[in-house]
Amino acid sequence: MDHSKHVRLTETELTPAVLEGATVYGADDHKVGKVDHVHGSGFGSKAIIDVGGFLGIGAKPVAVPLSDLDFMRDESGDVHAVTSWTKDQLKDMPEHKH
């Protein structure tokens, strides 16, 4: 996917209502997970990403600083994120406990 034409979200848009459910693409541009929920708002908060699993079953939640994610809207207005993390790197992170 060519993310260069996608519109980056502003800091005021980095809220749970906007980010939850966003697909996250990794360093190789493959889908690595989905934002389950967000702790805080703005650049200082953390996104809890469900990594792995199948259809949401068996996914591992990991906490990633929002500063490690580049959130944007595609041509359809759907929010997604790009990160330099790979799926394996995210899977190796400690599990986020609710």
Side-chain angles (χ1 to χ4, degrees):
M1 181 183 303
D2 179 9
H3 301 284
S4 65
K5 294 182 173 47
H6 296 167
V7 178
R8 277 23 183 199
L9 299 187
T10 63
E11 186 168 4
T12 57
E13 292 179 287
L14 299 179
T15 63
V18 173
L19 305 182
E20 288 172 2
T23 299
V24 181
Y25 294 93
D28 55 4
D29 206 37
H30 286 97
K31 181 180 171 183
V32 296
K34 205 173 226 10
V35 176
D36 181 66
H37 63 280
V38 178
H39 289 290
S41 62
F43 288 118
S45 54
K46 291 190 181 287
I48 309 308
I49 301 172
D50 286 336
V51 181
F54 181 70
L55 299 177
I57 300 170
K60 176 184 176 182
V62 296
V64 176
L66 279 195
S67 58
D68 287 357
L69 300 164
D70 189 9
F71 284 95
M72 59 194 79
R73 289 184 198 280
D74 65 15
E75 296 85 356
S76 305
D78 294 328
V79 174
H80 63 283
V82 177
T83 184
S84 59
W85 295 92
T86 65
K87 190 174 212 168
D88 287 338
Q89 288 173 319
L90 290 170
K91 282 183 179 177
D92 288 343
M93 290 179 148
E95 183 172 349
H96 172 74
K97 305 288 186 192
H98 296 278

